[in-house]
Amino acid sequence: MQDLFNLAGKRALVTGGAQGLGRMIAEGLLGAGAEVAITSRDPEVCAAAASEMASLGTCHAMPADLSTPEAAVDLARRAGEVLGGCDILVNNAGRTWGSAIESFPDKAWASVLGVNVQIPFTLVRELLPALEAAGSAEDPSRVINIGSIAGLKPEGLQAYSYAASKAAVHMLTRDLASDLASRNITVNALVPGFFPTKMTRHLRDGDTVDPAMLAKIPLHRFGSADDIGAATIFLCARSGAYITGILLPVDGGIAGIG
C-alpha cells in the first residue's frame, strides 16, 4: 500500500514553492521521496526556503520572476539542467488583484492572466520533451495546475481577473489533458478553498479565523498543509496514474455542498 504513494526517484518543479500553498505542496512531495525544485521571485526567500526544506529531501532553489513568457522558457531550461529531467510539474505561482468594481483597473487584467494562465501553458510547452521522456503508460508524467474555488463559484472576493484566470486554468487543464494523454502525461487541477496563506490573511487574526468565514465552509476550518500535500501526492504517485482531466476540490466541502 505504501508504494501507491511513494515518489522516490521522481523529479518535480513547483513554481511559487517557497511560500504559502506552494511550499505546502513542495514539502508534501519531498516527504513522499521526490527531488524538488522550487521558485520564488525573491532569490533570498527562495534560498532560505530550500535550505529549510532540505531536512525533508533534496530541494533546489531556482529563483524566477514568472511575469513574462521568456522567464518561463528560461526556468524550464534551468530546471531540466538541475533536475536532469522532469516527472512532475506543479503550476502554482500566481498573482491576484482585489478591488471594488468601480475602481478595478485595466492593468489588473493582463498581469494576472499572464502569470496565472499563460505561464503554466508556456512551462508545459517548454517541458514537454522532458515530461514525455519521463512518462510511460503505467506511470505517466504529471502536470498539476492550481486552480481555485473562486474559479468555480462566486466567492464575493471582488478579485475579478483572478477568478476569471482560475476558471481559465480549469479549462486549460481539460484541454491539455485531452491533448497529452496519448503522450503518457496526465494533467489535473487542484482546486483549493481557503488555506492560511498571504492571500487569506485579511480573514485571519493569527490562527483565529473570522467565524463568519468559517460558517461558509461545511467542515468549519481552513485547509492545512497535510490536506493540500496529500491531495498532490495522490495525483502524482501510482495512486493517481489512471486519473487525468479532473478538477479536485480541496476546500472543506464548499464546491460540493457549500
Side-chain angles (χ1 to χ4, degrees):
M1 181 61 69
Q2 288 182 344
D3 287 343
L4 284 175
F5 307 99
N6 187 354
L7 293 175
K10 300 298 183 181
R11 301 152 298 179
L13 172 61
V14 181
T15 64
Q19 301 181 87
L21 207 66
R23 176 154 179 170
M24 298 177 196
I25 289 169
E27 289 179 346
L29 293 173
L30 286 164
E35 178 182 358
V36 178
I38 60 169
T39 77
S40 172
R41 287 176 293 178
D42 188 323
E44 292 184 1
V45 169
C46 198
S51 177
E52 291 164 3
M53 285 191 278
S55 62
L56 299 173
T58 303
C59 187
H60 305 279
M62 203 162 292
D65 181 355
L66 296 174
S67 57
T68 66
E70 292 77 15
V73 171
D74 179 66
L75 172 63
R77 177 188 60 78
R78 289 188 287 133
E81 292 174 353
V82 170
L83 294 172
C86 187
D87 302 276
I88 300 166
L89 168 62
V90 181
N91 284 310
N92 167 76
R95 182 171 291 176
T96 189
W97 197 301
S99 178
I101 188 169
E102 293 86 355
S103 58
F104 200 87
D106 288 332
K107 66 181 180 180
W109 285 93
S111 61
V112 171
L113 288 168
V115 172
N116 294 4
V117 185
Q118 184 178 4
I119 294 304
F121 174 83
T122 300
L123 283 171
V124 171
R125 185 191 69 204
E126 294 300 308
L127 286 169
L128 195 54
L131 291 165
E132 191 167 7
S136 67
E138 296 75 23
D139 187 14
S141 294
R142 312 301 211 278
V143 175
I144 307 295
N145 294 324
I146 305 302
S148 172
I149 194 68
L152 287 181
K153 61 190 294 290
E155 285 297 307
L157 302 177
Q158 294 190 308
Y160 302 102
S161 55
Y162 174 79
S165 75
K166 291 303 183 179
V169 166
H170 299 164
M171 193 61 228
L172 177 64
T173 297
R174 293 190 177 105
D175 273 343
L176 290 172
S178 176
D179 291 344
L180 300 182
S182 63
R183 303 192 189 194
N184 297 322
I185 301 169
T186 66
V187 187
N188 295 293
L190 292 174
V191 184
F194 293 90
F195 282 75
T197 65
K198 286 184 177 180
M199 194 176 294
T200 61
R201 59 189 170 189
H202 65 290
L203 300 172
R204 298 177 287 115
D205 182 8
D207 293 331
T208 303
V209 181
D210 180 357
M213 181 68 248
L214 291 180
K216 298 179 181 180
I217 305 173
L219 292 184
H220 299 294
R221 66 173 177 87
F222 270 26
S224 70
D226 283 349
D227 294 324
I228 197 69
T232 306
I233 293 166
F234 166 66
L235 289 176
C236 291
R238 192 159 62 90
S239 51
Y242 199 50
I243 298 171
T244 195
I246 71 160
L247 310 179
L248 177 60
V250 188
D251 65 350
I254 296 174
I257 57 178

